[in-house]
Amino acid sequence: MTTPAEPRVSKVVSDFELRAARAELLLRLTPAAREPLQFAAGLYRVQARIASEIESANREEPLTGHLSEDVDRFRDRVSYLLR
């Protein structure tokens, strides 16, 4: 059973991956902007991973939509971001 939010999150994951790929393409074409584009590509990939983890948590049990209530359900899944 899918919820209405699932396709939207999947599109978000896809959009982040496309942005990362675009940043990687641009960094090869514009050496002067290499470091900011590498950072952007990495950030987009992390955002895609976080979106995927949130989607997974929502599939296991629908999120309430209130961060104060939901954060404990996926905090451990995204702790790598803080490292």
Side-chain angles (χ1 to χ4, degrees), residues 27-54:
L27 73 87
R28 288 191 294 271
L29 300 174
T30 54
R34 182 173 184 78
E35 288 182 22
L37 289 168
Q38 281 178 320
F39 176 80
L43 181 59
Y44 290 139
R45 296 228 188 272
V46 168
Q47 289 172 316
R49 186 171 167 196
I50 289 170
S52 178
E53 292 293 345
I54 291 170

Side-chain angles (χ1 to χ4, degrees), residues 4-82:
E6 285 184 66
R8 183 171 160 217
V9 173
S10 294
K11 181 179 180 337
V12 169
V13 171
S14 175
D15 287 348
F16 281 127
E17 289 295 337
L18 287 172
R19 290 175 187 152
R22 175 77 173 146
E24 289 169 345
L25 172 67
L26 289 173
L27 73 87
R28 288 191 294 271
L29 300 174
T30 54
R34 182 173 184 78
E35 288 182 22
L37 289 168
Q38 281 178 320
F39 176 80
L43 181 59
Y44 290 139
R45 296 228 188 272
V46 168
Q47 289 172 316
R49 186 171 167 196
I50 289 170
S52 178
E53 292 293 345
I54 291 170
E55 179 182 38
S56 177
N58 189 57
R59 261 194 314 268
E60 292 168 10
E61 179 183 337
L63 298 168
T64 67
H66 300 282
L67 183 60
S68 61
E69 295 175 30
D70 295 330
V71 71
D72 289 334
R73 294 197 32 225
F74 57 87
R75 182 185 334 216
D76 291 339
R77 294 174 179 219
V78 297
S79 63
Y80 59 88
L81 175 65
L82 300 175

